[in-house]
Amino acid sequence: MNELLIVACIALVGAVLYLRGQLKLQENELRRLEAAAQTELNRQVTSLERERRRSGEILERMDEGVLVLTEDHTPIRANASARELLRLGSGPLPGRLPSDEVLMVARRALSEKETCEETISLWPSLRSLRIRALPLEDQAGVAVIFQDVTEELRTLRVRRQFVANASHELKSPVASLQALADAIHDAVHDDPDAAKRFADRLVRESDRLSRLITDLLDLSRLEDPVSASSHAMDLSRVARAQTATLRPEANAKGLTLIERIDSGVWIKGDEQQLGLMMRNLLDNALRYTPEGGRIEAQVAHESGDAIVRVRDSGIGIPFHAQSRVFERFYRVDKDRSRDRGGTGLGLSIVKHVAELHAGHVGVESELGQGSTFTVRLPAAAGGERVHP
Ligand code: ADP
């Protein structure tokens, strides 16, 4: 009996020891699993944190402004562009958005539960913003995205104005051509002398129309920078070619045309555009200098720049008009310009070409004494040929 008890006790102790061993094993396994789970959790938290930082960084660097409002319209997040556009400063966000226009669009998006878009003007910054308000998925607020379209709208306005002006300018020679053609038709049998006079005027008007169309095409080509080349080119050669082309006209008008063109003035640019610029400057000098006058075309290096200068002893430009002559279709004296075959586009072409070549044009002039137009362009280093 005692022996049986001893065996039972041993078996019990053995079972307890075995169970304890099993428990220990399970405990170790549990710890291992716990550690693995903790490592995985840490990894995921780090990755989420990295992701959050990255999205925050992208949001901050976006050109578009991004603003998040709660459902009761309290701003809770704004990136740098939104803060700048809405003048929110860099500190804590205000409890209420200072722009009623933005608030209105955000409210509409929240109540209609759909994206709302609008273009608004901010006061007093006078910036135009295209805004898009998107209700958040959980209806907990609204995200507002802003795009500054001030420049885009300004360009659009300038274009529209230009098209309106160009149409207006084209209308008058076309109307003249129609009227003159009718007059010739009526006079050709009864008054051949008058018909001849009308025909001469018709030729002049069609010349003017053709010049206007050429200038408009030149300007629109300048607006397309893809067509321009930027190779090293000899400005002196271009200037000599243009002066030679216009010399017969200058001689016919009894004008002295002097060339002061230094050799080896190289710049990087588009030969055709620079020829156009030179021709327009010389054309004007010829147009506004009375018989017996003097025109000087100069190309040189000056203070490290390449300069093109056209000086004339012509009628001059009144001081108040000197800053405006580069505007499209601006003329000091519309009738005089028209009588002399002007289109009002020559100097805006000159300005455009100068700016496309990182240069600028200026004018000095005195009424009755003459004018000097100077275009300053970056010279190719040391006047040497530069390879593109
Ligand atoms: P336009 O075809 O009428 O000459 P531009 O754009 O070339 O147009 O010039 C604008 C205006 O500037 C001219 O209408 C004229 O009044 C004035 N202008 C330009 N160049 C000269 C110049 N060399 N001398 C006097 N006036 C000039």
Side-chain angles (χ1 to χ4, degrees), residues 284 287-288 312 317 325 330-332 337 342-347 371:
N284 278 352
R287 189 173 294 138
Y288 300 107
D312 66 57
I317 302 168
V325 288
Y330 178 84
R331 291 108 151 179
V332 177
S337 155
T343 63
L345 291 173
L347 287 179
S371 310

Side-chain angles (χ1 to χ4, degrees), residues 211 215 280-289 310-318 321 324-334 336-338 340-350 363 365 367 370-373:
R211 252 194 311 274
D215 280 358
N280 274 293
L281 285 173
L282 287 169
D283 260 347
N284 278 352
L286 254 68
R287 189 173 294 138
Y288 300 107
T289 305
V310 175
R311 182 176 281 136
D312 66 57
S313 61
I315 60 170
I317 302 168
R324 299 203 57 197
V325 288
F326 299 100
E327 289 172 21
R328 289 164 181 182
F329 297 118
Y330 178 84
R331 291 108 151 179
V332 177
D333 180 336
K334 205 161 184 160
R336 184 186 253 166
S337 155
R338 185 170 295 161
R340 296 176 189 208
T343 63
L345 291 173
L347 287 179
S348 54
I349 291 176
V350 170
V363 59
S365 185
L367 264 186
S371 310
T372 304
F373 286 87

Side-chain angles (χ1 to χ4, degrees), residues 359-381:
H360 63 92
V361 54
V363 59
E364 286 168 71
S365 185
E366 211 172 309
L367 264 186
Q369 300 297 312
S371 310
T372 304
F373 286 87
T374 305
V375 182
R376 203 166 274 279
L377 302 161

Side-chain angles (χ1 to χ4, degrees), residues 57-333:
E57 207 179 307
I58 292 171
L59 204 68
E60 279 307 303
R61 289 192 187 179
M62 272 169 68
D63 281 341
E64 285 86 7
V66 180
L67 175 78
V68 182
L69 305 174
T70 58
E71 55 197 326
D72 60 354
H73 318 126
T74 312
I76 49 168
R77 172 121 208 211
N79 70 354
S81 300
R83 283 177 185 269
E84 198 206 313
L85 288 169
L86 300 176
R87 301 189 169 181
L88 297 175
S90 55
L93 290 168
R96 187 182 186 280
L97 207 61
S99 163
D100 286 338
E101 296 93 336
V102 178
L103 260 182
M104 239 157 58
V105 185
R107 268 199 206 113
R108 226 178 62 221
L110 272 170
S111 69
E112 291 173 11
K113 296 187 177 48
E114 62 179 27
T115 304
C116 291
E117 271 191 49
E118 211 160 298
T119 303
I120 60 160
S121 280
L122 286 181
W123 179 261
S125 67
L126 294 181
R127 303 212 71 78
S128 302
L129 300 185
R130 185 169 298 141
I131 59 177
R132 208 144 58 90
L134 314 112
L136 298 177
E137 266 187 6
D138 53 6
Q139 302 295 317
V142 58
V144 189
I145 297 164
F146 307 83
Q147 217 183 337
D148 189 344
V149 288
T150 316
E151 201 43 42
E152 193 184 309
L153 293 186
R154 197 192 65 80
T155 313
L156 209 69
R157 254 195 317 273
V158 170
R159 286 240 162 93
R160 267 198 212 123
Q161 186 68 44
F162 178 64
V163 171
N165 286 343
S167 316
H168 180 77
E169 293 286 335
L170 284 166
K171 245 184 191 165
S172 98
V174 169
S176 299
L177 288 181
Q178 271 168 350
L180 286 165
D182 285 346
I184 292 168
H185 181 266
D186 292 345
V188 76
H189 293 302
D190 306 337
D191 190 350
D193 287 344
K196 176 151 186 342
R197 274 199 315 279
F198 293 144
D200 289 344
R201 278 181 54 195
L202 190 132
V203 170
R204 275 205 306 278
E205 282 299 322
S206 61
D207 275 352
R208 194 160 80 81
L209 185 61
S210 142
R211 252 194 311 274
L212 187 56
I213 292 170
T214 307
D215 280 358
L216 284 170
L217 286 174
D218 285 341
L219 252 183
S220 75
R221 263 193 291 271
L222 290 176
E223 304 238 317
D224 172 20
V226 180
S227 63
S229 71
S230 178
H231 295 281
M233 48 149 293
D234 185 353
L235 195 57
S236 318
R237 189 172 56 78
V238 172
R240 279 195 196 105
Q242 292 300 333
T243 321
T245 310
L246 289 172
R247 189 171 290 285
E249 202 181 317
N251 290 341
K253 265 193 87 180
L255 298 167
T256 311
L257 178 55
I258 298 160
E259 272 186 40
R260 282 181 53 209
I261 300 175
D262 291 351
S263 292
V265 180
W266 285 80
I267 65 158
K268 240 176 145 183
D270 186 286
E271 197 162 322
Q272 215 182 345
Q273 289 184 357
L274 287 147
L276 190 64
M277 178 187 89
M278 189 75 202
R279 198 175 68 230
N280 274 293
L281 285 173
L282 287 169
D283 260 347
N284 278 352
L286 254 68
R287 189 173 294 138
Y288 300 107
T289 305
E291 199 180 329
R294 175 190 145 103
I295 295 167
E296 193 181 286
Q298 187 190 1
V299 171
H301 281 121
E302 210 175 84
S303 320
D305 292 323
I307 58 127
V308 173
R309 188 168 282 137
V310 175
R311 182 176 281 136
D312 66 57
S313 61
I315 60 170
I317 302 168
F319 184 71
H320 71 88
Q322 287 176 18
S323 59
R324 299 203 57 197
V325 288
F326 299 100
E327 289 172 21
R328 289 164 181 182
F329 297 118
Y330 178 84
R331 291 108 151 179
V332 177
D333 180 336

